[in-house]
Every structure is written in C-alpha cells, then in structure tokens.
Amino acid sequence: MKNKTNQEGFAKVPEVILLFWIIKIAATTLGETGGDAVSMSMNLGYLVGTAIFAVIFIAAVTVQIRAPRFHPVIYWVTIVATTTVGTTLADFADRSLGIGYPGGSSILFCLLLCSLALWHFTMGSVSVNTVGDPKTEVFYWVTIMFSQTLGTALGDWTADTEGLGYLGGATVFVILLAVVAGLYYSTKISRTFLFWAAFILTRPLGAVLGDFLDKPLDHGGLALSRYSATGVLLAFILACILFFPHRAARKSH
C-alpha cells in the first residue's frame, strides 16, 4: 500500500529543473535536424515525412499513457516524436500548402490556445503537475504537439521571412526566454503560464539552432550533415537521461 501511495503522489512528467530545459532544447533541435533529414535529405517530402513521424508519435504517446509511472526514456522519446512530427507538419503547411509562415503560425497559435482552453475547461487546470491520468495526458500531449508545430513555424518565420538569420533568430528567443526566467524569479505571475510560455519558446529556439547546424554556408548555416547532427544530439540526450537523476514532478490536484 505504501508503494501505491507514493506512486500516486507523483505526476507522469519530469520535475521541471534546469536539466529539463537543457534536454528540451536539445530535443527540439534534434526534431529540426531529424525531421529535415527524413523529408529533405531522404527526399521523401513533407507529407510522407509527416505520415512517418505521426505513426511514431501515436505509438510513443500510447506507450507513455499506458506506462504506470513516469519513465524518463519513454517520456523523452515521446517529446522527440512531437518535435519531429511538428517540424515536418509545419513545413508541409507553410511550404507545400502555401499558407506561409504568418498564416501557419496564426492557425497553430489558435489551435494551441483552443487546446489549452478545452483542457482547462474539462480538467480545471493546465498545470503539468496534474498530468497523471490518461485523459489529462491526452490533453497534455495534444497541446505539446501543437506547441512544437507552432515553434517550428515561428522559428522559420523569424530566421527566414524577417531576415534575422539563424543566429539572430536564436538571439531573439534566448532573450525572450531570459525575460520569462526573470519574471519567474522576480514576480508572482502564474507559474503555469510561465511554464507554457517557456515551453513554447524553446521550440523555435531549437528550430533555428537546428537550421544553423545543417543549412548551407551561403545561407548562414554550418553545412553539417543532418544525419551527423541528429546523431550527436541524440547521443547528448541519451547521456543526459542515463547519467543524471530524473525525478517525477509531485502531483497536484
């Protein structure tokens, strides 16, 4: 009975500490290089790439929801799945469908707000510390998928359309994340609001960093192989998972 009580006292998401944000940024960068590797380097296109990653995403979410407790490998595999499908889905909408970055970002932002609103209306809270039952987890992962897709569109919009370049775009999102961190430590603004603000902003940061790694030199990138960049990022994430302790967040009601 003691084990059951302890288990029920924790959410199925990791404790939000510095390590969480480090892995999150690496995972979003991996989503960009990995998504581009499949859709562009393999010449499969955005639609086929999206279909492949959508299957992986659904499988990963299913395993995550069925898991009895938080498991770092399962959780971060699911996060990576959301970043890769988000990359190819955003590129498909922006480029193949011709919606463009402003249109795609606007649609995805509305979908994200609707997901959060429906989650709050249904469950009474959008705090990640309440994520512990299947219904809440569905809201959580749908919201994350929308945020990852939105982040890809925002990153490309900032770096390409607005002409800031990859390093310029990265600087913008680093500054915005620093503002969120400053608000966290100096104000009493809702921690749930600040978490989602930071979570959303880390995705475009990862998008521009991923593009910086693999785009040609004449486009402002480092021209690294998408496969090698993806491999290095994957190894880094695995090292963070295996060599550092991971605790589940304490569950709130």
Side-chain angles (χ1 to χ4, degrees), residues 25-37 41 80 84 206-215 221-238:
I25 293 172
T28 58
T29 308
L30 169 62
E32 190 72 19
T33 59
D36 287 348
S41 296
V80 170
T84 49
V208 293
L209 289 176
D211 284 337
F212 175 66
L213 291 175
D214 63 33
K215 287 298 187 285
L222 296 179
L224 299 178
S225 163
R226 293 187 179 103
Y227 302 118
S228 59
T230 300
V232 169
L233 288 165
L234 181 59
F236 174 78
I237 293 171
L238 286 175

Side-chain angles (χ1 to χ4, degrees), residues 27-40 45-47 49-50 53-54 79-96 101 108 144-154 156 203-204 206-208 210-211 214-215 226:
T28 58
T29 308
L30 169 62
E32 190 72 19
T33 59
D36 287 348
V38 171
S39 62
M40 300 171 69
Y46 300 124
L47 182 58
T50 298
F53 289 125
I79 287 289
V80 170
T82 66
T83 66
T84 49
V85 73
T87 295
T88 54
L89 182 58
D91 287 341
F92 175 72
D94 296 336
R95 299 170 185 174
S96 298
Y101 298 129
L108 289 164
I144 284 182
M145 195 271 289
F146 283 143
S147 76
Q148 305 284 40
T149 310
L150 169 63
T152 300
L154 285 176
D156 290 342
R203 179 61 184 103
V208 293
D211 284 337
D214 63 33
K215 287 298 187 285
R226 293 187 179 103

Side-chain angles (χ1 to χ4, degrees), residues 7 25 32 42 47 69 76-77 106-107 119 124-125 135 145 150 154 162 166 169 192 201 209 213 230 243:
Q7 192 175 316
I25 293 172
E32 190 72 19
M42 293 182 182
L47 182 58
R69 62 183 67 84
W76 286 111
V77 165
S106 299
I107 292 172
W119 180 2
S125 172
K135 190 173 183 179
M145 195 271 289
L150 169 63
L154 285 176
E162 297 303 315
Y166 304 122
T192 298
L201 288 171
L209 289 176
L213 291 175
T230 300
F243 296 113

Side-chain angles (χ1 to χ4, degrees), residues 121-216:
F121 176 80
T122 304
M123 307 304 296
S125 172
V126 295
S127 170
V128 296
N129 289 346
T130 65
V131 179
D133 61 276
K135 190 173 183 179
T136 307
E137 279 201 89
V138 169
F139 281 116
Y140 177 76
W141 289 110
V142 169
T143 301
I144 284 182
M145 195 271 289
F146 283 143
S147 76
Q148 305 284 40
T149 310
L150 169 63
T152 300
L154 285 176
D156 290 342
W157 185 10
T158 303
D160 296 335
T161 305
E162 297 303 315
L164 295 179
Y166 304 122
L167 291 180
T171 301
V172 168
F173 294 116
V174 167
I175 291 173
L176 290 174
L177 283 167
V179 170
V180 173
L183 293 174
Y184 178 86
Y185 288 108
S186 63
T187 72
K188 295 183 179 180
I189 294 176
S190 167
R191 279 10 190 184
T192 298
F193 171 81
L194 293 176
F195 169 83
W196 284 111
F199 195 95
I200 292 167
L201 288 171
T202 53
R203 179 61 184 103
L205 173 60
V208 293
L209 289 176
D211 284 337
F212 175 66
L213 291 175
D214 63 33
K215 287 298 187 285

